[in-house]
Amino acid sequence: MTKINNRILLPLLLFLLTSCGDVFQTHPYDVHFDGETGINAKRISTIEQSLSGKETLRVAFISDTHLWHSDARDEIADINRRKDIDFVIHCGDLTDTGTTKEFEWSRDLLNELRMPYVALIGNHDFLGTGDQTYYVMYGEMDFSFIVARVKFVCLNTNATEYDHTAAVPNFDYMEEEMARDSDRFDRTVVVMHAPPYSDQFNNNVAKAFRLYLEFMPGLMCCVYGHCHGDNVGSLYDDDLIFYGIDCAEHRNYRIMTITPDGYEMEQIRY
């Protein structure tokens, strides 16, 4: 039997042991990344403070950038060249497979915006440990903010990612948002990734969701992503309008102009 030289074996073992950390640090779903975290809370603070007292808002809605980074970069450049956009809302699917590196790429791309932005979580962002990465990088999956007496209620509606075992959409949260800071807002815009009656929504509660929407003070409209189409219309055969925000690959987005008297929604092609 051949004897193993200890002078060779020991250094080899030490090399393997000390290398393990590097191997796991580069795992695609390790939730370890450099750069900014807690983005939504920081940007919301900026939005609420910088736009305090403003009566007219212009909000750009984008969605489903996935790995179409060239198209998304052109989209961001088009938004940046406009001088009157107050902030941007990304309606989710920041990534394609939810890897940490994709979240970094998407964040760094969105950081090229010259105005503040917030981002919802999409169903693709749940893949692997993507929901954990989103939580560290962006924050809570349900969040809201108020500007110009309009409350933007941003909801996680990706029920399929929980196998319908979680409270998604979270009706308790929606009920809290109806009353919280009620002296600061008169109108509401509800934003989500997956709309009712889509493959990701918990359609067993779609009718209940519409009932909860009914009690949102001064509900103006709902905005969603996910469907990769520029869709406008009612999902419930009533007067509540849902605006679908297209994916980056199709090279269009929407700008919502909110005035004290109402709002307008404009499709922008780039």
Side-chain angles (χ1 to χ4, degrees):
M1 181 179 293
T2 303
K3 291 185 177 180
I4 299 176
N5 191 325
N6 287 337
R7 286 180 296 178
I8 297 175
L9 181 60
L10 184 58
L12 178 61
L13 288 172
L14 288 173
F15 172 77
L16 290 173
L17 288 171
T18 56
S19 298
C20 289
D22 292 335
V23 171
F24 286 105
Q25 283 177 9
T26 57
H27 190 282
Y29 293 105
D30 65 0
V31 199
H32 295 148
F33 54 85
D34 297 323
E36 191 175 12
T37 61
I39 291 172
N40 283 346
K42 294 175 186 176
R43 300 297 189 273
I44 286 171
S45 178
T46 299
I47 290 168
E48 291 189 331
Q49 291 181 26
S50 64
L51 300 177
S52 176
K54 191 168 186 181
E55 292 189 348
T56 298
L57 294 177
R58 281 176 64 82
V59 184
F61 288 94
I62 64 176
S63 192
D64 295 79
T65 43
H66 291 286
L67 289 178
W68 294 308
H69 291 168
S70 178
D71 296 309
R73 185 165 282 107
D74 289 346
E75 186 172 48
I76 287 169
D78 192 77
I79 293 171
N80 280 340
R81 74 177 179 81
R82 300 171 184 275
K83 306 301 183 185
D84 57 352
I85 303 299
D86 292 305
F87 58 92
V88 176
I89 297 180
H90 191 302
C91 296
D93 277 357
L94 299 149
T95 70
D96 202 45
T97 61
T99 65
T100 302
K101 183 56 68 176
E102 286 179 73
F103 271 103
E104 288 183 309
W105 290 336
S106 178
R107 177 200 60 195
D108 295 345
L109 189 61
L110 289 171
N111 279 343
E112 294 178 13
L113 285 164
R114 294 175 182 169
M115 63 288 295
Y117 70 91
V118 296
L120 284 75
I121 190 168
N123 59 297
H124 281 255
D125 304 326
F126 273 88
L127 298 177
T129 56
D131 56 332
Q132 298 174 43
T133 304
Y134 175 90
Y135 180 78
V136 175
M137 187 174 285
Y138 288 97
E140 298 290 345
M141 295 180 197
D142 295 312
F143 62 94
S144 72
F145 57 98
I146 300 171
V147 59
R149 297 197 62 81
V150 177
K151 175 177 275 193
F152 293 84
V153 179
C154 301
L155 301 174
N156 170 27
T157 56
N158 303 289
T160 301
E161 301 307 318
Y162 298 93
D163 293 326
H164 301 288
T165 59
V168 177
N170 188 332
F171 291 150
D172 286 341
Y173 178 80
M174 293 178 69
E175 189 171 348
E176 291 169 3
E177 289 303 309
M178 295 171 195
R180 188 165 65 89
D181 298 320
S182 59
D183 59 323
R184 294 179 53 214
F185 73 101
D186 310 300
R187 294 178 291 173
T188 309
V189 175
V190 175
V191 189
M192 66 202 79
H193 181 65
Y197 302 114
S198 68
D199 60 324
Q200 288 292 322
F201 199 88
N202 182 359
N203 290 311
N204 288 324
V205 299
K207 291 181 179 179
F209 182 69
R210 178 63 182 91
L211 182 61
Y212 271 79
L213 290 174
E214 189 68 25
F215 292 101
M216 289 289 178
L219 180 62
M220 301 167 69
C221 64
C222 295
V223 182
Y224 65 91
H226 182 60
C227 297
H228 294 203
D230 178 62
N231 306 306
V232 180
S234 171
L235 300 182
Y236 291 95
D237 294 325
D238 56 21
D239 58 356
L240 177 59
I241 302 300
F242 283 73
Y243 293 91
I245 307 303
D246 213 338
C247 62
E249 184 189 33
H250 293 165
R251 299 180 66 84
N252 69 88
Y253 62 96
R254 285 192 171 273
I255 294 177
M256 184 180 191
T257 302
I258 302 174
T259 68
D261 299 323
Y263 77 91
E264 293 181 356
M265 192 74 85
E266 179 185 6
Q267 184 192 48
I268 306 297
R269 297 188 179 276
Y270 60 93

